[in-house]
Amino acid sequence: MSPAAPDHPDDAFPWTDVWGQNDAVRTLRAAAADPASLSHAWLITGPPGSGRSTLAYAFAAALVAEGPDDEHAMRQVMAGTHPDVTALRTDKVIITIAEARALVERSYFSPSSGRYRVIVVEDADRMVERTSNVLLKALEEPPEKTVWILCAPSDADLLPTIRSRVRTLRLREPDVDDVAALIVHRTGTDASVAEQAARHAQRHIGMAQRLATDPAARSRREQMLRAVLGARGVGDAVEVAGRIVQAATDDAKALTAERDAAERATLLRTVGIAEGAPVPQALRGQISVLEDEQKKRATRSLRDGIDRVLTDLQSMFRDVVMLQFGRRDGLINRELGDDLAALADAWPPARTLVVLDHLAETRDALERNVAPLLALESLLITVTSGRKP
């Protein structure tokens, strides 16, 4: 059966790609149309994959456009080419003070062609306290025609001083059927594959689309879960942890290698160096800066990949707890039903809860830069023994 059509207000551009967030769309459309309803700074919150960034850029497009018929300006915004919209997307672990200062400086420019100048900060939760403080003055005393749009998983991820200066818009978590219908609409994927991908991704739209369109990604996910289920002792725990880290490392390299090479080629071409030619000593500093930025991005990509594995493991052991308490509906990993039922019968619920606690602690440890391999080995020893090492 095909998934139900997702909750969608209409097909009016630029809101076409915003699914399942009717209340948020109505609020932002009204704000863009009526200056009396417009706050100078907004915080859009919602779980990863809920469409925060998609909504932010649709709002930015509506703010810049002279009216609902100004599709040219709106398409410029959605393509990332409008001069009055400045966006900060980071692939690194944190947003730097230098990046924040550049945004603040930009926010004081008058709009060049649109109604407003709009500053969009994706992943605003990646600002440490010193960086957040750079934004405070701009949020306290913004120019009349500047609007800030911050995106984060939760308002709790930002400092209270930031939260007090923005209007918060909380997105609802999309349903599995909403996400599956969106994936079918975007990619033409078979409805059953889209539903499975949306369920396995726990309604994260970007991850669901990747799983739905990449059979290798689906296979890696299943192999990883089965490897953890099959681990029986310390030796297995160490071996499986190594496999997870290696797979995440390979995945991160695959995601960043092509982009890294293109960036390097563009830089060399810009400074007039032919492909394969030696880099003059005077220009090696620029190459080093680029390579440093790419290493930071690779670190973030690896961390995100391992966090995704931990999210998948949490979904699996959450299913085990549900089975242990007699709940068989709503399982995320239905395809592993027999194995999970066997584990639920073999373990007491307290042991599963210990594993889930350690999973949460491992995610926190990785955010504090603990070595991924050591963190995963410790976690999998808990899985195989029922006790924290």
Side-chain angles (χ1 to χ4, degrees):
M1 179 181 295
S2 298
D7 182 27
H8 197 277
D10 55 42
D11 292 325
F13 193 79
W15 310 98
T16 8
D17 284 339
V18 180
W19 297 76
Q21 304 294 347
N22 279 4
D23 291 343
V25 168
R26 278 190 286 268
T27 297
L28 295 180
R29 291 184 78 166
D34 180 10
S37 302
L38 182 61
S39 299
H40 70 276
W42 296 74
L43 171 61
I44 300 176
T45 67
S50 59
R52 298 185 309 250
S53 298
T54 302
L55 185 60
Y57 289 111
F59 184 32
L63 287 169
V64 165
E66 292 296 337
D69 296 328
D70 188 7
E71 190 168 316
H72 175 70
M74 291 189 286
R75 290 198 179 277
Q76 277 188 299
V77 173
M78 303 306 281
T81 59
H82 198 286
D84 291 331
V85 177
T86 302
L88 176 59
R89 309 175 183 90
T90 183
D91 296 308
K92 296 177 290 187
V93 176
I94 62 169
I95 293 173
T96 66
I97 289 179
E99 289 170 325
R101 285 176 177 156
L103 287 182
V104 170
E105 180 180 345
R106 192 77 178 172
S107 73
Y108 286 101
F109 293 180
S110 297
S112 61
S113 61
R115 291 188 300 149
Y116 296 94
R117 177 164 297 281
V118 184
I119 311 293
V120 180
V121 184
E122 298 185 32
D123 301 311
D125 53 304
R126 294 186 187 179
M127 293 187 295
V128 297
E129 183 172 355
R130 289 187 304 156
T131 306
S132 297
N133 288 334
V134 171
L135 296 186
L136 281 180
K137 183 173 177 58
L139 295 177
E140 287 172 343
E141 303 174 7
E144 182 181 356
K145 292 295 184 179
T146 293
V147 178
W148 287 80
I149 308 174
L150 312 182
C151 302
S154 165
D155 54 0
D157 294 317
L158 275 72
L159 294 178
T161 47
I162 295 285
R163 299 200 301 265
S164 67
R165 290 163 174 82
V166 300
R167 178 176 174 183
T168 300
L169 191 66
R170 295 178 177 85
L171 303 188
R172 76 173 185 87
E173 192 166 3
D175 297 330
V176 167
D177 285 348
D178 284 345
V179 176
L182 175 58
I183 299 306
V184 171
H185 172 77
R186 284 182 175 176
T187 68
T189 302
D190 180 79
S192 62
V193 173
E195 186 279 334
Q196 182 193 78
R199 179 164 36 86
H200 286 177
Q202 298 176 67
R203 299 166 295 219
H204 186 297
I205 293 171
M207 183 54 63
Q209 183 162 323
R210 184 180 182 199
L211 288 174
T213 58
D214 186 349
R218 297 198 298 272
S219 177
R220 283 195 299 272
R221 182 185 186 277
E222 181 177 356
Q223 290 172 8
M224 180 272 300
L225 293 180
R226 290 191 181 280
V228 172
L229 284 173
R232 292 292 180 266
V234 173
D236 286 348
V238 171
E239 191 267 335
V240 172
R243 284 168 55 189
I244 291 173
V245 172
Q246 187 60 53
T249 301
D250 292 343
D251 210 24
K253 287 180 179 177
L255 289 171
T256 59
E258 184 175 344
R259 181 175 172 183
D260 289 352
E263 287 176 344
R264 180 183 175 88
T266 299
L267 175 59
L268 293 177
R269 187 166 57 250
T270 301
V271 296
I273 300 175
E275 184 176 352
V279 178
Q281 181 70 35
L283 296 177
R284 289 177 187 172
Q286 294 183 48
I287 300 294
S288 295
V289 169
L290 175 63
E291 290 174 345
D292 185 54
E293 291 297 309
Q294 291 175 340
K295 287 177 183 177
K296 291 176 181 177
R297 187 168 63 209
T299 298
R300 183 76 230 184
S301 183
L302 173 59
R303 181 178 295 179
D304 288 346
I306 292 176
D307 188 71
R308 186 70 237 170
V309 171
L310 295 176
T311 300
D312 290 334
L313 290 176
Q314 282 181 318
S315 78
M316 184 171 73
F317 288 108
R318 169 258 191 202
D319 286 348
V320 173
V321 167
M322 289 184 65
L323 291 169
Q324 288 171 330
F325 285 96
R327 291 283 304 277
R328 295 186 176 273
D329 57 320
L331 296 182
I332 294 171
N333 301 281
R334 293 201 299 258
E335 295 74 13
L336 299 175
D338 291 343
D339 294 311
L340 299 182
L343 192 61
D345 290 338
W347 284 8
R351 176 170 174 174
T352 315
L353 293 175
V354 167
V355 171
L356 285 169
D357 284 345
H358 200 167
L359 270 162
E361 292 168 2
T362 301
R363 296 182 79 169
D364 290 341
L366 290 174
E367 285 298 322
R368 298 194 304 272
N369 290 322
V370 171
L373 182 58
L374 293 178
L376 283 170
E377 286 176 352
S378 175
L379 169 65
L380 292 179
I381 288 172
T382 296
V383 171
T384 57
S385 68
R387 298 183 301 276
K388 293 182 182 180

